Amino acid sequence: MLAEITRAGLSRAQVGALIDEWVFSARDRQILRLKLLDGQTYEQIAEAVRPQMSPRQIKRIVTCRVDELLQKIQ
């Protein structure tokens, strides 16, 4: 997922701006920032998010939101 965004030629700042502009859920913005910008694992993110979620839920959110973001930059 980060690889697709990296291939799009976006800088870290541009990825952050894209997240802020197009991800409307505060929880999902937090999850994407932790994964894409901070490089945390799904397990680490699951423990950090309140209420706690499973790593599988985190992965699903990341995958869906990254797919949406990729559509915005194409």
Side-chain angles (χ1 to χ4, degrees):
M1 79 230 75
L2 184 55
E4 290 92 354
I5 291 176
T6 303
R7 279 194 295 264
L10 299 176
S11 70
R12 180 181 167 91
Q14 288 172 315
V15 171
L18 194 62
I19 291 169
D20 290 341
E21 183 175 356
W22 292 107
V23 179
F24 303 115
S25 163
R27 180 200 68 190
D28 291 1
R29 277 194 308 273
Q30 176 191 16
I31 289 169
L32 280 180
R33 286 185 162 284
L34 290 171
K35 182 63 180 167
L36 300 179
L37 301 179
D38 297 341
Q40 291 191 12
T41 67
Y42 297 120
E43 292 78 14
Q44 290 170 325
I45 297 168
E47 291 177 11
V49 175
R50 297 287 179 234
Q52 190 171 3
M53 302 171 75
S54 73
R56 186 176 184 174
Q57 290 172 302
I58 299 297
K59 184 176 182 178
R60 182 186 54 78
I61 290 168
V62 170
T63 301
C64 290
R65 296 300 165 260
V66 167
D67 287 345
E68 292 170 2
L69 292 178
L70 287 171
Q71 290 177 4
K72 300 295 182 191
I73 61 174
Q74 293 177 350

